[in-house]
Amino acid sequence: MNLATLIGFIGGIAMVLLGVFSSGSSVGGIIDIPSVIIVVGGSYMALFVSSPMNLVVGIWSVISRCFKNYDFGEKNTVQNMVSLSEKARREGILALEEGLDDLDDAFLKEGLRLMVDGNDGTAIRAILENEMAQAEARHMQWAGVLNQWAGYAPGWGMLGTVIGLIGMLNNLEDKSSLGPNMAVALITTLYGSMLANWLFGPLATKLIAQNTAEMNSKQMVLEGILSIQAGDNPRVLGQKLLTYLDPASRKAIEADILKD
């Protein structure tokens, strides 16, 4: 479970409730099922108009990614690539074919396969960079759907408010109902703003951050493979890859990677 997402999810609810209680209102005063249907259901239906069916239906499983921790193993990547470089230097590049099928990292496996098959660095870079570009495009597509949803939600909130106001104006003769009806009409605006600024917008940003971390890890693999293919010294390869790490992670493994 991603602790930061969980804190934000629960904390957002807590802040709204604190504001409600501080204003002397009650939880029941901000709960309205028709408003939920209009804002959540209406904005979700708008996605079907703007996006392909598979993206709209699949967005729920993508949202669940924001509540999970993903470790792209940058430190392990540095260590593994240095080990592979040392093996290639001792036994030759073809020796890296051993155990290739047992690797869990499909991107690393593909890169090593291209290398042991004798492709030059230009071809390897072109193929792997295209793999990265396509993966990033898919990730941005999902984030884009969430950003679209964040954009539609406030509009549907206003639409719900207008619907509520129409109903209120149609019953102006009942003066006692004006206040409660106005409050219900404004709840949809509240819901639309919350969905945009508390959920869908921030979730899209988290997906983009996950993509950045994954692409950084893949770039490390690409640079490592090209370095091995070029016959660089393992120590030089290690120095290249350490530059991708944050200071704390770099300090944790630098001594081991750059040992004489």
Side-chain angles (χ1 to χ4, degrees), residues 118-134:
N119 293 284
D120 61 24
T122 302
I124 294 173
R125 179 181 290 278
I127 293 172
L128 294 186
E129 284 186 344
N130 188 56
E131 285 277 1
M132 291 171 61
Q134 296 305 313

PDB file of all heavy atoms in Angstrom, residues 118-134:
ATOM      1  N   GLY A 118      24.554  -9.816 -31.632  1.00  0.00           N
ATOM      2  CA  GLY A 118      25.544  -9.141 -32.458  1.00  0.00           C
ATOM      3  C   GLY A 118      25.110  -7.821 -33.063  1.00  0.00           C
ATOM      4  O   GLY A 118      25.777  -7.295 -33.960  1.00  0.00           O
ATOM      5  N   ASN A 119      23.997  -7.252 -32.579  1.00  0.00           N
ATOM      6  CA  ASN A 119      23.559  -5.960 -33.106  1.00  0.00           C
ATOM      7  C   ASN A 119      24.486  -4.847 -32.620  1.00  0.00           C
ATOM      8  O   ASN A 119      25.031  -4.920 -31.507  1.00  0.00           O
ATOM      9  CB  ASN A 119      22.130  -5.666 -32.647  1.00  0.00           C
ATOM     10  CG  ASN A 119      21.130  -6.625 -33.256  1.00  0.00           C
ATOM     11  OD1 ASN A 119      20.780  -6.507 -34.421  1.00  0.00           O
ATOM     12  ND2 ASN A 119      20.687  -7.610 -32.467  1.00  0.00           N
ATOM     13  N   ASP A 120      24.660  -3.820 -33.445  1.00  0.00           N
ATOM     14  CA  ASP A 120      25.522  -2.715 -33.024  1.00  0.00           C
ATOM     15  C   ASP A 120      24.774  -1.773 -32.086  1.00  0.00           C
ATOM     16  O   ASP A 120      23.546  -1.876 -31.905  1.00  0.00           O
ATOM     17  CB  ASP A 120      26.088  -1.947 -34.228  1.00  0.00           C
ATOM     18  CG  ASP A 120      25.003  -1.309 -35.093  1.00  0.00           C
ATOM     19  OD1 ASP A 120      23.891  -1.045 -34.581  1.00  0.00           O
ATOM     20  OD2 ASP A 120      25.268  -1.064 -36.275  1.00  0.00           O
ATOM     21  N   GLY A 121      25.515  -0.856 -31.483  1.00  0.00           N
ATOM     22  CA  GLY A 121      24.933   0.036 -30.487  1.00  0.00           C
ATOM     23  C   GLY A 121      23.815   0.906 -31.034  1.00  0.00           C
ATOM     24  O   GLY A 121      22.839   1.184 -30.340  1.00  0.00           O
ATOM     25  N   THR A 122      23.939   1.324 -32.289  1.00  0.00           N
ATOM     26  CA  THR A 122      22.909   2.187 -32.884  1.00  0.00           C
ATOM     27  C   THR A 122      21.574   1.456 -32.980  1.00  0.00           C
ATOM     28  O   THR A 122      20.517   2.018 -32.658  1.00  0.00           O
ATOM     29  CB  THR A 122      23.345   2.659 -34.284  1.00  0.00           C
ATOM     30  OG1 THR A 122      24.589   3.362 -34.183  1.00  0.00           O
ATOM     31  CG2 THR A 122      22.301   3.563 -34.898  1.00  0.00           C
ATOM     32  N   ALA A 123      21.621   0.204 -33.424  1.00  0.00           N
ATOM     33  CA  ALA A 123      20.394  -0.582 -33.555  1.00  0.00           C
ATOM     34  C   ALA A 123      19.786  -0.877 -32.193  1.00  0.00           C
ATOM     35  O   ALA A 123      18.558  -0.792 -32.015  1.00  0.00           O
ATOM     36  CB  ALA A 123      20.692  -1.883 -34.297  1.00  0.00           C
ATOM     37  N   ILE A 124      20.639  -1.215 -31.226  1.00  0.00           N
ATOM     38  CA  ILE A 124      20.146  -1.511 -29.876  1.00  0.00           C
ATOM     39  C   ILE A 124      19.464  -0.280 -29.284  1.00  0.00           C
ATOM     40  O   ILE A 124      18.375  -0.370 -28.722  1.00  0.00           O
ATOM     41  CB  ILE A 124      21.299  -1.977 -28.971  1.00  0.00           C
ATOM     42  CG1 ILE A 124      21.840  -3.328 -29.454  1.00  0.00           C
ATOM     43  CG2 ILE A 124      20.835  -2.090 -27.517  1.00  0.00           C
ATOM     44  CD1 ILE A 124      23.088  -3.784 -28.725  1.00  0.00           C
ATOM     45  N   ARG A 125      20.112   0.869 -29.393  1.00  0.00           N
ATOM     46  CA  ARG A 125      19.534   2.101 -28.849  1.00  0.00           C
ATOM     47  C   ARG A 125      18.195   2.428 -29.522  1.00  0.00           C
ATOM     48  O   ARG A 125      17.228   2.781 -28.856  1.00  0.00           O
ATOM     49  CB  ARG A 125      20.498   3.272 -29.028  1.00  0.00           C
ATOM     50  CG  ARG A 125      19.950   4.599 -28.513  1.00  0.00           C
ATOM     51  CD  ARG A 125      20.928   5.746 -28.735  1.00  0.00           C
ATOM     52  NE  ARG A 125      22.092   5.636 -27.888  1.00  0.00           N
ATOM     53  CZ  ARG A 125      22.140   6.033 -26.620  1.00  0.00           C
ATOM     54  NH1 ARG A 125      21.054   6.556 -26.032  1.00  0.00           N
ATOM     55  NH2 ARG A 125      23.261   5.911 -25.930  1.00  0.00           N
ATOM     56  N   ALA A 126      18.138   2.287 -30.844  1.00  0.00           N
ATOM     57  CA  ALA A 126      16.915   2.618 -31.573  1.00  0.00           C
ATOM     58  C   ALA A 126      15.750   1.737 -31.128  1.00  0.00           C
ATOM     59  O   ALA A 126      14.628   2.217 -30.885  1.00  0.00           O
ATOM     60  CB  ALA A 126      17.145   2.466 -33.078  1.00  0.00           C
ATOM     61  N   ILE A 127      15.990   0.446 -30.993  1.00  0.00           N
ATOM     62  CA  ILE A 127      14.922  -0.486 -30.620  1.00  0.00           C
ATOM     63  C   ILE A 127      14.469  -0.250 -29.186  1.00  0.00           C
ATOM     64  O   ILE A 127      13.272  -0.161 -28.898  1.00  0.00           O
ATOM     65  CB  ILE A 127      15.390  -1.941 -30.807  1.00  0.00           C
ATOM     66  CG1 ILE A 127      15.612  -2.240 -32.295  1.00  0.00           C
ATOM     67  CG2 ILE A 127      14.373  -2.922 -30.213  1.00  0.00           C
ATOM     68  CD1 ILE A 127      16.260  -3.578 -32.566  1.00  0.00           C
ATOM     69  N   LEU A 128      15.417  -0.138 -28.261  1.00  0.00           N
ATOM     70  CA  LEU A 128      15.056   0.025 -26.852  1.00  0.00           C
ATOM     71  C   LEU A 128      14.431   1.391 -26.578  1.00  0.00           C
ATOM     72  O   LEU A 128      13.517   1.503 -25.758  1.00  0.00           O
ATOM     73  CB  LEU A 128      16.281  -0.199 -25.967  1.00  0.00           C
ATOM     74  CG  LEU A 128      16.848  -1.620 -25.965  1.00  0.00           C
ATOM     75  CD1 LEU A 128      17.971  -1.745 -24.937  1.00  0.00           C
ATOM     76  CD2 LEU A 128      15.774  -2.659 -25.698  1.00  0.00           C
ATOM     77  N   GLU A 129      14.925   2.421 -27.242  1.00  0.00           N
ATOM     78  CA  GLU A 129      14.316   3.742 -27.050  1.00  0.00           C
ATOM     79  C   GLU A 129      12.893   3.774 -27.591  1.00  0.00           C
ATOM     80  O   GLU A 129      12.019   4.450 -27.039  1.00  0.00           O
ATOM     81  CB  GLU A 129      15.176   4.821 -27.713  1.00  0.00           C
ATOM     82  CG  GLU A 129      16.430   5.161 -26.917  1.00  0.00           C
ATOM     83  CD  GLU A 129      17.195   6.328 -27.507  1.00  0.00           C
ATOM     84  OE1 GLU A 129      16.932   6.687 -28.682  1.00  0.00           O
ATOM     85  OE2 GLU A 129      18.059   6.887 -26.797  1.00  0.00           O
ATOM     86  N   ASN A 130      12.645   3.029 -28.674  1.00  0.00           N
ATOM     87  CA  ASN A 130      11.283   2.947 -29.188  1.00  0.00           C
ATOM     88  C   ASN A 130      10.378   2.204 -28.211  1.00  0.00           C
ATOM     89  O   ASN A 130       9.212   2.585 -28.005  1.00  0.00           O
ATOM     90  CB  ASN A 130      11.263   2.252 -30.549  1.00  0.00           C
ATOM     91  CG  ASN A 130       9.897   2.316 -31.200  1.00  0.00           C
ATOM     92  OD1 ASN A 130       9.333   3.382 -31.392  1.00  0.00           O
ATOM     93  ND2 ASN A 130       9.341   1.156 -31.531  1.00  0.00           N
ATOM     94  N   GLU A 131      10.914   1.144 -27.586  1.00  0.00           N
ATOM     95  CA  GLU A 131      10.159   0.426 -26.552  1.00  0.00           C
ATOM     96  C   GLU A 131       9.788   1.378 -25.412  1.00  0.00           C
ATOM     97  O   GLU A 131       8.644   1.385 -24.928  1.00  0.00           O
ATOM     98  CB  GLU A 131      10.996  -0.730 -25.996  1.00  0.00           C
ATOM     99  CG  GLU A 131      11.119  -1.934 -26.899  1.00  0.00           C
ATOM    100  CD  GLU A 131       9.928  -2.865 -26.793  1.00  0.00           C
ATOM    101  OE1 GLU A 131       9.001  -2.556 -26.037  1.00  0.00           O
ATOM    102  OE2 GLU A 131       9.930  -3.898 -27.482  1.00  0.00           O
ATOM    103  N   MET A 132      10.742   2.189 -24.996  1.00  0.00           N
ATOM    104  CA  MET A 132      10.497   3.139 -23.912  1.00  0.00           C
ATOM    105  C   MET A 132       9.466   4.183 -24.318  1.00  0.00           C
ATOM    106  O   MET A 132       8.576   4.527 -23.531  1.00  0.00           O
ATOM    107  CB  MET A 132      11.815   3.819 -23.523  1.00  0.00           C
ATOM    108  CG  MET A 132      12.814   2.902 -22.854  1.00  0.00           C
ATOM    109  SD  MET A 132      14.436   3.691 -22.644  1.00  0.00           S
ATOM    110  CE  MET A 132      13.990   5.073 -21.583  1.00  0.00           C
ATOM    111  N   ALA A 133       9.590   4.678 -25.539  1.00  0.00           N
ATOM    112  CA  ALA A 133       8.666   5.715 -26.003  1.00  0.00           C
ATOM    113  C   ALA A 133       7.236   5.188 -26.068  1.00  0.00           C
ATOM    114  O   ALA A 133       6.285   5.886 -25.688  1.00  0.00           O
ATOM    115  CB  ALA A 133       9.104   6.225 -27.382  1.00  0.00           C
ATOM    116  N   GLN A 134       7.075   3.942 -26.528  1.00  0.00           N
ATOM    117  CA  GLN A 134       5.735   3.363 -26.614  1.00  0.00           C
ATOM    118  C   GLN A 134       5.145   3.111 -25.232  1.00  0.00           C
ATOM    119  O   GLN A 134       3.947   3.339 -24.997  1.00  0.00           O
ATOM    120  CB  GLN A 134       5.779   2.062 -27.421  1.00  0.00           C
ATOM    121  CG  GLN A 134       6.176   2.236 -28.874  1.00  0.00           C
ATOM    122  CD  GLN A 134       5.290   3.237 -29.595  1.00  0.00           C
ATOM    123  OE1 GLN A 134       4.066   3.203 -29.496  1.00  0.00           O
ATOM    124  NE2 GLN A 134       5.904   4.157 -30.330  1.00  0.00           N
TER     125      GLN A 134
END
